[in-house]
């Protein structure tokens, strides 16, 4: 039982203290991508029209920004394997499939 409790700590603990801070542009992308995914999950056709409109407005704001940032960051960091891994791991489906109607 102790082994299973230690495994997550063994892998996560070193990352928490040895990770270098991410560049501002990558942090901003992560923020926008997470907001995009969250808002996409919040949308429900049964919500009142006013609430749907507000959610859609924010989906467009964050998803559009994240999708544009994704293209820019992929070009900027194409030679940096470590940074590309971070970028790709945060490029969720809501971002990659976003298309404004």
């Amino acid at each position: 039982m102790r082994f299973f409790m230690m495994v997550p700590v063994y892998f996560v603990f070193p990352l928490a203290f040895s990770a270098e801070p991410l560049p501002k542009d990558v942090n901003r992308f992560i923020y926008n991508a997470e907001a995009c995914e969250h808002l996409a999950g919040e949308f429900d056709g049964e919500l009142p029209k006013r609430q749907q409109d507000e959610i859609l407005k924010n989906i467009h704001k964050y998803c559009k920004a994240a999708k544009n940032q994704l293209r820019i960051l992929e070009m900027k960091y194409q030679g940096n394997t470590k940074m590309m891994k971070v970028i790709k791991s945060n490029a969720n489906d809501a971002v990659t499939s976003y298309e404004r109607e």
Side-chain angles (χ1 to χ4, degrees):
M1 181 70 166
R2 282 187 183 187
F3 174 75
F4 292 111
M5 292 172 69
M6 294 301 291
V7 171
V9 172
Y10 179 75
F11 289 108
V12 174
F13 193 77
L15 294 175
F17 293 101
S18 67
E20 297 174 21
L22 295 172
K24 286 182 182 181
D25 55 354
V26 175
N27 271 328
R28 193 74 191 144
F29 164 70
I30 292 169
Y31 176 85
N32 287 331
E34 288 175 353
C36 171
E37 183 176 44
H38 171 76
L39 290 162
E42 289 290 315
F43 188 82
D44 182 348
E46 294 182 17
L47 292 170
K49 176 82 170 115
R50 189 171 52 90
Q51 197 171 359
Q52 287 180 26
D53 291 345
E54 185 67 26
I55 292 171
L56 281 174
K57 180 179 120 187
N58 285 311
I59 285 173
H60 295 314
K61 175 183 174 182
Y62 291 104
C63 295
K64 180 180 179 181
K67 189 158 190 172
N68 289 338
Q69 290 168 325
L70 177 59
R71 284 187 227 136
I72 293 166
L73 294 175
E74 286 175 332
M75 289 176 17
K76 181 177 180 179
Y77 294 105
Q78 67 186 358
N80 186 333
T81 309
K82 186 176 171 183
M83 201 59 62
M84 285 303 296
K85 185 176 180 179
V86 171
I87 293 165
K88 292 291 185 186
S89 70
N90 286 281
N92 57 59
D93 289 341
V95 172
T96 59
S97 65
Y98 172 75
E99 291 182 21
R100 175 111 193 208
E101 298 111 28

